[in-house]
Amino acid sequence: MRVLVVNCGSSSLKYQLFETESEETLAAGLIERIGQDGADAIVHHLPAGRDEVKFEQPIADHNLAAMEMTRILCEGEGKVLDSLDEIAAVGHRVVHGGEDFASSVLIDDAVIQCIERNAALAPLHNPPNLAGIRACMKAMPGKPNVAVFDTAFHQTMPRKAYLYAIPRAYYDELGIRRYGFHGTSHFYVDGRARVMLKEMGRDGDSARIVTCHLGNGCSMAAVKAGSCVDTTMGLTPLEGCVMGTRSGDIDPAIIPFLGATQNLSFKEIDTILNKKSGLLGLSGISNDMRDVQTAAAEGNTDAAEAFEVFCYRVRKYIGAYAAAMGGLDAVVFTAGIGENDAKVRHRILENMEFLGIHIDPDASDESRDDRVLTTPESSCVALVIGTKEELVIARQTEAVCGVA
Ligand code: AMP
């Protein structure tokens, strides 16, 4: 079955067309700077052997972006389909499903209303996600559309893990609790880790796994027998790990302190914590881990410290989650930093023999494939797994449409 996966941001539309049986990507593209001044860029990638196609044209809104996407897929240099009829369904990444969605759903009016209601919890993400859904409904009338939520995988967390210790009414009336994000990524790498554990002759089914999604955004999840029991991100994707530009955990009293002493508004503090903190804030160099490491290697002590704080936070959560689950069978690294940065992984995992993690000095860490970093004797396995969020969205879209 051919499934189109769509991921809309406020000024971008990413798409990927899958053949779900073979898991092959037939085409993928990125439309950027939607609704902004200047030349808008569309980059349309084609299967191996065919060159990518680039277009530069103004794209006023998400409706036009979806129309262009459908046109490029069926016409001209980028053509991979004879007609849109070949697309069986469209799967959408939706960031916040609140407590309404613990799994993926076929989108109807009631689902749209729920996503709108949850936009209060994700004002930067859910509105563009909805714009993408509406644009695809318009560009491909009658096609089934499925919503796959970033929060859904974390809905199995127990109350003790998701309640904040603030007056209960804020949860009851406003829904303030920990929701967690990057759910499709944690779900995918957890499932893949279980398969790898079984291939190693271990008990994959009941394994206690910590999944570390370390990219520009970073989050971790404690997953026991396939169910998420805790995660680092909270009401919003600001809590938890140190990220590219986000602070992660801080003492909440810093907010009124900054307000009072620096005469900053809530909006300004929100911008500082989301856009000017994390690796960027601590290093003063960049939000990109590669730049931070280059600067650290050249002797920049602020950059070296940013690296240390980043790794220490992840390490601390691994210990916390081992305690929460009563032991640890695997730690998984994924996303840009997790998959590519051996230095980060080694700093996080060094001296963790007390948790049964023995890094294999001979293990090849160069390959791009999913791989094992620990010795065969380790009771806890460290794995690097390439995340496949779009593939999960395509598979879940297929599953929902299969039973719809
Ligand atoms: P993502 O959000 O998953 O695309 O990840 C972005 C982060 O991954 C940035 O901090 C990059 O510096 C980092 N990253 C990507 N490739 C590499 C690499 N080869 N080595 C180290 N870090 C990398």
Side-chain angles (χ1 to χ4, degrees):
M1 165 168 169
R2 285 183 177 172
V3 173
L4 183 62
V5 172
V6 173
N7 182 354
C8 271
S10 57
S11 62
S12 68
L13 185 155
K14 266 196 262 180
Y15 59 90
Q16 200 162 342
L17 180 66
F18 280 97
E19 178 64 67
T20 52
E21 284 84 38
S22 61
E23 298 188 346
E24 184 193 353
T25 298
L26 302 177
L30 171 63
I31 304 177
E32 286 184 296
R33 297 195 290 280
I34 296 171
Q36 294 175 0
D37 290 340
D40 299 75
I42 305 177
V43 182
H44 180 71
H45 298 275
L46 290 155
R50 285 178 65 181
D51 291 337
E52 71 177 29
V53 189
K54 278 190 187 166
F55 304 86
E56 296 231 337
Q57 62 193 82
I59 305 280
D61 57 27
H62 287 89
N63 283 329
L64 277 170
M67 293 304 288
E68 275 306 293
M69 167 184 72
T70 52
R71 189 188 60 73
I72 292 165
L73 287 167
C74 297
E75 287 175 18
E77 294 168 89
K79 175 174 166 158
V80 284
L81 298 171
D82 287 328
S83 112
L84 291 175
D85 293 342
E86 291 172 46
I87 300 176
V90 186
H92 297 266
R93 175 185 184 213
V94 180
V95 167
H96 218 308
E99 291 188 329
D100 296 306
F101 303 103
S103 56
S104 303
V105 284
L106 190 65
I107 300 173
D108 59 15
D109 288 346
V111 170
I112 287 183
Q113 279 171 18
C114 264
I115 298 172
E116 263 169 356
R117 213 172 41 240
N118 286 315
L121 298 169
L124 298 180
H125 294 101
N126 276 23
N129 296 160
L130 263 179
I133 291 170
R134 291 198 167 108
C136 286
M137 286 176 153
K138 213 166 161 187
M140 294 170 276
K143 200 82 68 196
N145 285 266
V146 171
V148 179
F149 299 93
D150 261 26
T151 47
F153 179 62
H154 304 298
Q155 278 292 300
T156 49
M157 277 192 287
R159 286 172 72 82
K160 66 183 176 189
Y162 71 68
L163 285 177
Y164 291 118
I166 58 175
R168 200 170 272 280
Y170 294 124
Y171 168 60
D172 293 339
E173 291 162 23
L174 300 175
I176 295 180
R177 51 160 281 181
R178 172 173 292 110
Y179 288 96
F181 298 88
H182 293 141
T184 42
S185 178
H186 290 291
F187 167 78
Y188 174 78
V189 298
D190 172 71
R192 176 84 183 106
R194 285 169 203 287
V195 170
M196 289 173 77
L197 285 170
K198 285 184 197 170
E199 284 168 0
M200 296 162 77
R202 298 178 183 231
D203 178 2
D205 291 332
S206 57
R208 298 153 299 185
I209 300 179
V210 173
T211 49
C212 309
H213 177 108
L214 308 179
N216 201 27
C218 300
S219 69
M220 296 165 64
V223 192
K224 199 171 181 178
S227 291
C228 176
V229 295
D230 207 345
T231 193
T232 54
M233 283 180 167
L235 174 74
T236 75
L238 181 56
E239 194 180 350
C241 301
V242 176
M243 309 181 213
T245 61
R246 284 173 249 168
S247 63
D249 298 335
I250 59 164
D251 179 345
I254 291 171
I255 295 162
F257 182 88
L258 279 180
T261 61
Q262 306 301 305
N263 197 22
L264 294 169
S265 66
F266 285 129
K267 196 161 178 278
E268 286 167 325
I269 299 173
D270 190 59
T271 303
I272 290 168
L273 296 177
N274 274 294
K275 304 247 166 77
K276 298 182 176 172
S277 298
L279 290 176
L280 174 65
L282 271 179
S283 70
I285 298 276
S286 168
N287 64 314
D288 191 301
M289 183 55 100
R290 286 167 292 199
D291 299 339
V292 171
Q293 298 221 24
T294 304
E298 287 165 356
N300 183 309
T301 50
D302 290 348
E305 217 161 49
F307 169 83
E308 294 299 340
V309 175
F310 179 96
C311 296
Y312 177 71
R313 185 82 50 88
V314 175
R315 186 175 165 85
K316 196 159 84 168
Y317 270 113
I318 291 174
Y321 287 168
M325 293 191 288
L328 197 57
D329 301 299
V331 177
V332 182
F333 292 94
T334 193
I337 299 171
E339 290 170 35
N340 296 302
D341 197 324
K343 207 164 170 214
V344 166
R345 290 191 300 261
H346 284 92
R347 175 66 95 239
I348 292 168
L349 294 177
E350 73 187 355
N351 302 322
M352 276 215 182
E353 288 78 11
F354 72 98
L355 276 177
I357 299 174
H358 300 265
I359 296 298
D360 185 347
D362 300 324
S364 162
D365 204 1
E366 297 302 313
S367 130
R368 297 292 90 209
D369 297 336
D370 296 345
R371 56 203 183 273
V372 182
L373 304 177
T374 37
T375 62
E377 294 74 34
S378 294
S379 60
C380 179
V381 172
L383 303 169
V384 180
I385 296 178
T387 194
K388 293 185 179 170
E389 291 165 280
E390 285 80 12
L391 178 63
V392 172
I393 296 174
R395 278 187 190 154
Q396 294 195 354
T397 299
E398 181 183 39
V400 167
C401 291
V403 295

